[in-house]
Amino acid sequence: MSLLPLAQAQERVLTQIDALPTVRLRIGATRGLVTTHAVTAKEDIPPFANTGMDGFAVRSRDIEEASEQRPATLRVVETIAAGSVPSRTLDAGEAMRIMTGAPIPAGADAVIMVELTETSVSSAGDETVICRAPAPVGNHVRPAGDDLRAGTEVFGPGTVLGPAHIGMLASLGYEELDVVCRPRVGVFSTGDELVVGAAPLGPGQIRDSNRPQLLALLDEAGMVPIDLGRLPDDEQVIEAALQEAAERCDALLTSGGVSMGDFDFVKSLLQRLGHMNWMQIAIRPAKPFAFGTVLGTPIFGLPGNPVSSAVSFELLARPALLKMMGRHDTQRHRIVALADEPLVRRPDGKTHFVRVQVTESVDGAPRVRSAGGQGSHQLSGLAFANGLAIVPDGDGLDTGDRVRVIMLG
Ligand code: AMP
Ligand code: MG
């Protein structure tokens, strides 16, 4: 059976995936989600001219000659705290004490910072400020609309909302926003050999590590992970579980039961209930993979070996689920690095995704070394890796060779 190039497998999946519908959410719940409309500034930010420093609001002209030797003296006529408003216009020869963020009084056109001044109070209780430096017009003044002008587009549709976007939305008075839904993704594990949690292992049994790992990968990608447990080897129970899951979730992930030799109930049921495409992809690890729909819900059949299921998620499920979220940037960050040791392999018609540790180097390209055992069952090699080095078919790489790396996490 000839192997399918990875790009074709990815294409088969992506063409069948659409973005989810729009939902209106409180802005605090939108991190990682994608805007459906342009966001416009409803008001000026900042809304009024204010000071960026604690100091004294002055008329620049009044202190233009001020120096250490010949300081200028002004009468302090008022104190303006952030959140209060000046009671009157500033006149010639006057200063107002002003706190960062407080409005600039009419008549003032500059702020001199407190560190360049000294104050004194006369016996009659009149306060004066001595300015030891000039303050040019506009000094420390943040004009209204200096950040954003009312009516301007702040960000367009298709923007992935990060913490700073959410801060901006709040500063503009948005409480809610229309975004593409966050996908609810259910995860099953399959296989009679699997033991969940700390229960003692019987002969031939191993612990279920794929489900917790996949749930965490979903969480990391900003999706809603839904733990659907382990499917027992009972056809009726599996059928009911798959149907319920297909209704509850926007997408489903299973692990195990997609390899050539395997023919378990999950596989035969998906064959019957779903429209599945069983693939053998020209990659290592994660050669077997299935994708289709069950009752209209996309389902990703990931391979069972723990490293394979994670790599399969990275290369095939994650981009598709991000597309569901309305994202256009569905790829992880990639870099070009130099092999810091030989990355040995044999020709086998497949692209290898080698678990590597990428280290920064001060004097050039980052370096990569193997992160440990490269077997598809050796999860420790993946746990110690921060990248997947893409090693093309052939005899591998020598020290100093350039290698493309998909950065993880
Ligand atoms: P399969 O694809 O079902 O033939 O499984 C391939 C290998 O992955 C076998 O060694 C399984 O025991 C193992 N495996 C399957 N599912 C899991 C899981 N949820 N956690 C850990 N290992 C698994
Ligand atoms: Mg199995």
Side-chain angles (χ1 to χ4, degrees):
M1 185 186 190
S2 77
L3 299 176
L4 187 69
L6 175 62
Q8 279 182 35
Q10 288 169 324
E11 192 58 27
R12 275 190 199 177
V13 175
L14 284 175
T15 53
Q16 291 188 62
I17 293 283
D18 295 316
L20 293 177
T22 298
V23 61
R24 180 159 298 180
L25 293 180
R26 298 193 65 77
I27 60 167
T30 62
R31 189 170 72 85
L33 297 181
V34 174
T35 56
T36 55
H37 298 86
V39 170
T40 313
K42 296 187 284 188
E43 48 202 29
D44 278 350
I45 306 288
F48 52 87
N50 68 94
T51 173
M53 281 281 173
D54 295 325
F56 291 87
V58 298
R59 291 154 50 111
S60 176
R61 215 175 319 126
D62 288 351
I63 62 168
E64 66 189 346
E65 313 269 82
S67 66
E68 278 295 336
Q69 293 74 32
R70 300 186 48 200
T73 303
L74 302 171
R75 271 175 297 117
V76 180
V77 296
E78 189 162 331
T79 294
I80 318 159
S84 68
V85 280
S87 66
R88 67 174 183 82
T89 298
L90 187 96
D91 287 326
E94 293 179 343
M96 291 187 190
R97 179 180 282 104
I98 191 165
M99 311 304 158
T100 302
I104 303 287
D109 57 11
V111 170
I112 179 165
M113 69 174 179
V114 72
E115 290 85 340
L116 298 175
T117 66
E118 254 166 58
T119 53
S120 58
V121 181
S122 74
S123 51
D126 295 325
E127 188 177 15
T128 52
V129 59
I130 297 168
C131 305
R132 299 193 177 280
V137 172
N139 199 48
H140 301 311
V141 176
R142 303 187 292 203
D146 190 31
D147 188 9
L148 292 170
R149 280 239 162 264
T152 51
E153 181 175 310
V154 184
F155 32 86
T159 301
V160 183
L161 296 167
H165 296 104
I166 291 170
M168 284 178 70
L169 289 167
S171 78
L172 292 166
Y174 281 90
E175 289 186 346
E176 297 181 325
L177 198 69
D178 289 338
V179 288
V180 181
C181 280
R182 200 183 287 282
R184 299 163 51 81
V185 186
V187 182
F188 285 115
S189 38
T190 70
D192 261 356
E193 72 278 26
L194 299 180
V195 168
V196 175
L201 291 176
Q205 291 190 314
I206 59 161
R207 299 190 195 283
D208 180 359
S209 57
N210 289 353
R211 192 150 39 94
Q213 179 177 221
L214 290 168
L215 290 166
L217 283 165
L218 289 166
D219 185 50
E220 187 202 42
M223 293 141 196
V224 184
I226 298 176
D227 187 350
L228 298 173
R230 184 183 76 93
L231 291 180
D233 277 332
D234 176 321
E235 196 160 340
Q236 279 180 352
V237 177
I238 300 175
E239 181 164 352
L242 277 177
Q243 281 176 349
E244 201 213 308
E247 275 167 30
R248 245 180 98 189
C249 301
D250 300 307
L252 298 173
L253 303 178
T254 66
S255 70
V258 292
S259 40
M260 288 299 273
D262 206 304
F263 198 83
D264 60 23
F265 286 128
V266 179
K267 191 165 181 174
S268 56
L269 261 167
L270 284 178
Q271 210 100 275
R272 185 156 65 75
L273 289 181
H275 301 274
M276 299 300 292
N277 198 330
W278 305 86
M279 304 174 217
Q280 297 287 314
I281 307 174
I283 57 174
R284 179 186 171 149
K287 181 177 68 159
F289 171 71
F291 175 74
T293 53
V294 58
L295 303 169
T297 301
I299 180 163
F300 301 81
L302 308 178
N305 277 305
V307 179
S308 305
S309 75
V311 170
S312 191
F313 176 88
E314 283 297 334
L315 300 177
L316 294 145
R318 189 176 184 277
L321 294 169
L322 289 175
K323 185 178 175 190
M324 251 185 187
M325 287 173 86
R327 293 265 296 258
H328 298 291
D329 57 325
T330 59
Q331 295 294 328
R332 291 267 205 191
H333 180 56
R334 288 169 185 232
I335 61 165
V336 175
L338 298 180
D340 208 24
E341 64 182 4
L343 297 176
V344 184
R345 55 160 295 172
R346 291 283 155 254
D348 59 3
K350 298 179 202 156
T351 303
H352 289 197
F353 291 85
V354 179
R355 281 70 79 198
V356 292
Q357 273 169 357
V358 183
T359 47
E360 294 286 336
S361 79
V362 276
D363 57 342
R367 311 283 158 146
V368 300
R369 299 182 84 91
S370 167
Q374 297 291 332
S376 60
H377 60 296
Q378 289 174 304
L379 201 46
S380 58
L382 180 59
F384 295 128
N386 59 354
L388 293 175
I390 306 174
V391 181
D393 193 19
D395 288 309
L397 301 175
D398 282 329
T399 305
D401 283 351
R402 287 155 66 87
V403 57
R404 282 190 304 141
V405 184
I406 300 171
M407 296 305 292
L408 301 174

